[in-house]
Amino acid sequence: MSFSALGLSESIVRAVSEHGYTAPTPIQLQAIPAVLNGGDLLAGAQTGTGKTAGFVLPILQRLTTLKPGAKPVEGKRKVRVLVLTPTRELAAQVEESVRTYGKYTGLKSTVVYGGVGINPQISTLRQGVDILVATPGRLLDHHQQRTVDLSQVEILVLDEADRMLDMGFIHDIKKVLAVLPKQRQNLLFSATFSDDIKKLADSLLDNPALIEVARRNSTVEMIQQKVHPVDREKKRELLTHLIKENNWHQVLVFTRTKHGANRLAEQLNKSNITALVIHGNKSQAARTKALAEFKKGDLQVLVATDIAARGIDIDQLPHVVNFEIPNVPEDYVHRIGRTGRAGASGEAISLVCVDEIKMFHDIERLIKREVESVVIPGFEPDPNAKAQPILLRSPDHQGRGRSGAGRGGQGRGEPGQKQRQGGRGKPDQRVGGARSSTGTSHNTSANPKSGVNTKDGSVGGGRSAPRAAQKSTPALAPATTRTTPALFRKSGRDR
């Protein structure tokens, strides 16, 4: 089926075709008609399935077609569509899609997030926009300063809703909902379904259409997943070996902490492998530069923390490496979802040491599949190695307190810590770390003199942990008692 057959106008279809797309994906086939019908929507889709276009395209169509009895908005443009995202990078990506697909519609859009000056955003908002993409914290900054009018919002989109809840945005979301018109269309998109998501959907959505293009918490079939068992002390050496031996030129590597990301990038550069880091302690300008170089292929390795997993969208990204296994199984789905996007193939490699055996078994239980284990010659793990507790809250996860608010456009303090359920039903310590509110218009550059918060503690807008949390004792993951885990005893390509 073609895009035009779904009820999209010629101007929108032309922009989509120019971008290289000719046929809708499964999520788009279902989401576009559902959104055009005007009802609420709850959509579950894996990352990389084309869900952004699944809501952007029908929203553009609805805004360009006045409903029967509707009246044009007089004078300055009012915000008619509000899209909330958890991270800066994702917000920028969504707004870029709005501009790309809406280039012939005459609609105006902008994006606001923290970590950059708020004044250029205020100027753009004063000129009027039809579609506003924002992170919750910076949107509330604008609302408190009365620089944005949300009284005419017709459509609300919560994109990556599960990540927003993970990051502790539920209170911000409720504040935003309180100032929106009661009569509106609500669209909720989530890659995973938790009890919190179900609770939010029940309170927000009115008799929604339900779309689920793949089973919940599943991974894209086009992604080849593989585990390389290795001793913890040899992980960096093995990663270097894999990159050089396989001549990898574009590798996205995930670590658990910002400090670990910094250290790994430094070690890779010493091994003549170009690497940069993207995480919350980096300024927005530094993150934008690193991501741009990586997308162009000028950078061989981009090292990121989990918080960045939802905002990195790179066509044909061939390799994702879990240098450290995530504390929460669902994060594995989002990490490896950076590859195998839009029908392309990809490879996801996990370097698993004895400390992480239980964590990876929890991941396999979540995705309902056993991942192939391959021992690399020369990096065979010690069968007598004993597991050690994993520090889940390192110094770089500590909250940074209240970094300021108001006209400088800086972040505000709020708890960023949350309990999550582990794969075996036992509570794991989910550390959100420090976060800051985010936002900017698409043509705004970071300016340290305009009240920029460059040490925001996370990639996507939000808050810092309270003072009491900063003094808490580091949480430790339970260590497995097995000295020769099955994962380590099995070598070759069979498990």
Side-chain angles (χ1 to χ4, degrees):
M1 181 179 290
S2 64
F3 282 103
S4 57
L6 292 176
L8 301 178
S9 66
E10 186 276 334
S11 61
I12 296 176
V13 172
R14 177 155 57 108
V16 171
S17 299
E18 289 179 359
H19 201 57
Y21 299 120
T22 56
T25 64
I27 182 65
Q28 292 163 6
L29 281 172
Q30 298 184 58
I32 291 175
V35 176
L36 289 176
N37 284 338
D40 287 358
L41 174 66
L42 174 60
Q46 302 162 340
T47 56
T49 56
K51 66 175 177 58
T52 300
F55 65 81
V56 168
L57 296 178
I59 283 175
L60 292 171
Q61 179 66 34
R62 292 203 63 196
L63 294 192
T64 54
T65 306
L66 287 175
K67 294 174 290 186
K71 297 180 180 179
V73 178
E74 299 294 338
K76 186 181 73 172
R77 296 171 187 260
K78 301 290 186 180
V79 177
R80 300 174 62 191
V81 176
L82 174 62
V83 182
L84 291 180
T85 73
T87 67
R88 304 174 186 181
E89 279 73 18
L90 182 57
Q93 171 193 318
V94 170
E95 199 271 335
E96 182 180 5
S97 294
V98 172
R99 285 186 283 120
T100 298
Y101 301 137
K103 61 189 296 186
Y104 300 119
T105 63
L107 297 170
K108 291 187 64 177
S109 65
T110 193
V111 58
V112 296
Y113 52 70
V116 294
I118 197 171
N119 291 331
Q121 299 171 7
I122 292 175
S123 299
T124 301
L125 290 171
R126 282 175 177 168
Q127 296 172 21
V129 296
D130 301 290
I131 302 173
L132 175 61
V133 185
T135 50
R138 178 51 67 92
L139 179 65
L140 290 175
D141 285 339
H142 281 287
H143 175 68
Q144 290 172 0
Q145 297 185 38
R146 299 183 179 181
T147 55
V148 64
D149 180 4
L150 301 176
S151 64
Q152 303 295 321
V153 171
E154 302 169 20
I155 304 173
L156 169 67
V157 181
L158 297 184
D159 193 16
E160 304 286 14
D162 48 350
R163 172 56 86 183
M164 278 195 276
L165 297 188
D166 289 346
M167 294 171 64
F169 279 131
I170 184 61
H171 299 298
D172 284 355
I173 291 174
K174 289 180 178 179
K175 291 177 182 177
V176 172
L177 294 178
V179 302
L180 296 179
K182 300 301 180 184
Q183 296 297 321
R184 63 178 186 273
Q185 183 179 18
N186 300 296
L187 313 176
L188 191 154
F189 288 80
S190 181
T192 59
F193 286 89
S194 64
D195 291 340
D196 288 339
I197 286 294
K198 295 173 185 175
K199 184 177 179 180
L200 175 62
D202 289 342
S203 64
L204 175 66
L205 306 178
D206 180 19
N207 192 26
L210 176 62
I211 294 175
E212 196 168 3
V213 296
R215 62 180 174 83
R216 299 179 182 185
N217 304 323
S218 63
T219 53
V220 177
E221 295 300 326
M222 294 296 291
I223 301 175
Q224 181 184 5
Q225 302 175 60
K226 196 178 300 180
V227 168
H228 292 322
V230 63
D231 291 334
R232 71 179 72 86
E233 298 84 2
K234 293 184 178 180
K235 278 194 175 188
R236 196 269 311 162
E237 185 181 351
L238 175 56
L239 177 60
T240 301
H241 169 80
L242 291 172
I243 293 173
K244 291 186 174 181
E245 186 72 17
N246 298 307
N247 197 28
W248 290 349
H249 289 291
Q250 199 173 35
V251 191
L252 178 60
V253 180
F254 283 103
T255 64
R256 276 191 294 269
T257 68
K258 305 184 202 78
H259 176 67
N262 291 337
R263 185 173 61 247
L264 177 60
E266 181 180 351
Q267 293 169 338
L268 290 173
N269 280 299
K270 288 180 179 179
S271 300
N272 295 320
I273 297 173
T274 58
L276 286 176
V277 176
I278 180 170
H279 59 59
N281 281 359
K282 295 293 183 180
S283 69
Q284 183 60 39
R287 291 205 294 273
T288 301
K289 177 178 181 293
L291 192 55
E293 290 186 10
F294 189 61
K295 285 184 175 182
K296 289 190 299 182
D298 296 339
L299 185 66
Q300 197 168 359
V301 176
L302 183 64
V303 186
T305 52
D306 281 311
I307 210 71
R310 303 292 186 94
I312 301 176
D313 183 17
I314 301 171
D315 291 337
Q316 308 296 321
L317 177 63
H319 310 288
V320 169
V321 176
N322 292 303
F323 184 78
E324 294 169 324
I325 304 306
N327 305 324
V328 179
E330 286 85 355
D331 285 342
Y332 175 84
V333 177
H334 304 304
R335 283 184 178 191
I336 73 170
R338 299 308 99 195
T339 186
R341 300 176 73 82
S345 61
E347 183 178 39
I349 301 295
S350 297
L351 309 184
V352 179
C353 72
V354 67
D355 310 334
E356 301 165 318
I357 296 297
K358 178 188 178 299
M359 298 167 71
F360 201 81
H361 285 336
D362 288 343
I363 289 170
E364 290 180 315
R365 189 172 297 108
L366 174 76
I367 64 176
K368 294 180 173 61
R369 63 178 293 182
E370 186 173 316
V371 179
E372 177 186 19
S373 178
V374 179
V375 175
I376 302 299
F379 294 92
E380 297 83 356
D382 181 359
N384 298 315
K386 294 184 178 181
Q388 297 179 4
I390 296 173
L391 189 66
L392 297 190
R393 191 178 181 93
S394 66
D396 61 285
H397 272 100
Q398 299 297 326
R400 296 182 180 274
R402 185 180 180 92
S403 56
R407 295 207 168 272
Q410 295 168 298
R412 304 183 303 269
E414 185 177 291
Q417 192 167 313
K418 181 180 178 182
Q419 290 284 347
R420 286 288 303 274
Q421 285 298 112
R424 300 185 180 224
K426 300 178 181 178
D428 290 338
Q429 186 71 16
R430 171 63 171 167
V431 180
R435 299 180 287 107
S436 84
S437 55
T438 60
T440 185
S441 56
H442 64 261
N443 59 353
T444 303
S445 59
N447 182 356
K449 294 184 180 180
S450 59
V452 177
N453 177 17
T454 58
K455 296 196 175 184
D456 56 312
S458 89
V459 170
R463 323 293 175 161
S464 300
R467 188 179 301 274
Q470 296 178 30
K471 297 181 180 179
S472 62
T473 303
L476 300 178
T480 177
T481 57
R482 293 176 294 175
T483 57
T484 57
L487 181 65
F488 276 22
R489 290 200 300 267
K490 297 177 182 180
S491 61
R493 303 188 72 83
D494 298 321
R495 284 191 62 199

